[in-house]
Amino acid sequence: DSGVTQTPKHLITATGQRVTLRCSPRSGDLSVYWYQQSLDQGLQFLIQYYNGEERAKGNILERFSAQQFPDLHSELNLSSLELGDSALYFCASSRDSYGYTFGSGTRLTVV
Amino acid sequence: AQRVTQPEKLLSVFKGAPVELKCNYSYSGSPELFWYVQYSRQRLQLLLRHISRESIKGFTADLNKGETSFHLKKPFAQEEDSAMYYCALKGGSQGNLIFGKGTKLSVKP
């Protein structure tokens, strides 16, 4: 167990739907990062939050949004889902320059 | 532009053979570099970071600023080393990690 918890582990939904992915960072970590991993694009940085505030944005679509709550857990909301959104979504947290600790990911399948 | 390049998508070696996974970076500052390993699409695990100069599972990596490289090496590959390996650069305005596209290492018996 890395200390970063992601739920659900698997999600199957239909096109056009909306889903919420949840991430609880490692205890004491203030930064949360979301990444999308697909077979053709590799690991793409989506967004970073630090202590509740958005810090950096990567290749995140307008249909996607995220937030970090006062208890530091984060949610990634994906709406108007398309087949191409099927991917593994990873959350990571960090505290210092040591590097990130990743969660086990949520595997999203859009049918 | 900040970029990480892993030129090999797939590297296949026999057990006991030496392994070198290549990583080149582009960064206009003092880089922080990492190697992550991912077994069978599970979570990414930190393998090495250049500032600690440690050896994990027999792997080492040396930062070469002149060649802008951070290649991962192991003298004798084991079957359990088969995995995806990602090189990452801590860049961006807020220090987010920029990943290369990864190299799949396959160690044959």
Side-chain angles (χ1 to χ4, degrees):
Chain A
D1 181 12
S2 68
V4 178
T5 304
Q6 288 189 250
T7 57
K9 287 194 187 306
H10 302 277
L11 201 47
I12 302 175
T13 190
T15 54
Q17 294 299 303
R18 173 189 166 95
V19 296
T20 297
L21 313 184
R22 183 188 168 104
C23 169
S24 293
R26 197 176 54 163
S27 178
D29 288 359
L30 299 179
S31 284
V32 169
Y33 308 81
W34 286 97
Y35 282 82
Q36 179 193 57
Q37 185 181 42
S38 57
L39 284 173
D40 54 344
Q41 292 293 324
L43 273 162
Q44 296 286 315
F45 168 66
L46 296 178
I47 198 164
Q48 176 200 356
Y49 277 83
Y50 178 84
N51 202 21
E53 299 210 354
E54 182 185 303
R55 271 290 179 95
K57 256 185 175 178
N59 300 319
I60 188 166
L61 299 172
E62 284 192 15
R63 300 183 285 109
F64 296 0
S65 65
Q67 53 185 328
Q68 187 179 28
F69 295 86
D71 67 353
L72 300 178
H73 91 271
S74 177
E75 292 181 356
L76 179 67
N77 301 296
L78 316 176
S79 61
S80 303
L81 285 167
E82 302 174 359
L83 295 178
D85 297 327
S86 295
L88 262 171
Y89 290 85
F90 284 105
C91 166
S93 71
S94 74
R95 170 184 314 160
D96 53 27
S97 294
Y98 189 82
Y100 295 2
T101 302
F102 279 83
S104 299
T106 293
R107 186 179 298 276
L108 174 66
T109 303
V110 182
V111 298
Chain B
Q2 297 155 5
R3 188 167 52 244
V4 176
T5 304
Q6 294 181 251
E8 302 138 329
K9 287 183 86 169
L10 173 66
L11 184 62
S12 186
V13 301
F14 285 102
K15 177 183 172 181
V19 167
E20 182 179 66
L21 298 161
K22 291 184 168 51
C23 171
N24 290 91
Y25 66 90
S26 173
Y27 186 65
S28 60
S30 191
E32 282 187 68
L33 287 149
F34 305 81
W35 276 99
Y36 280 83
V37 60
Q38 186 183 31
Y39 301 99
S40 302
R41 301 278 279 175
Q42 296 175 19
R43 70 178 183 89
L44 280 83
Q45 301 175 45
L46 178 64
L47 185 61
L48 285 175
R49 54 176 186 150
H50 88 271
I51 57 176
S52 64
R53 298 188 62 82
E54 56 199 337
S55 172
I56 304 291
K57 299 184 180 182
F59 286 97
T60 59
D62 287 317
L63 176 62
N64 186 323
K65 290 187 179 180
E67 296 183 359
T68 59
S69 69
F70 188 55
H71 303 328
L72 184 68
K73 299 176 185 179
K74 184 169 183 176
F76 308 104
Q78 303 299 314
E79 289 180 67
E80 55 265 30
D81 296 329
S82 295
M84 279 293 292
Y85 290 81
Y86 291 94
C87 182
L89 166 70
K90 190 169 186 180
S93 58
Q94 298 297 335
N96 52 282
L97 283 180
I98 300 163
F99 285 87
K101 291 204 179 290
T103 297
K104 183 175 182 178
L105 175 64
S106 174
V107 182
K108 300 177 181 177

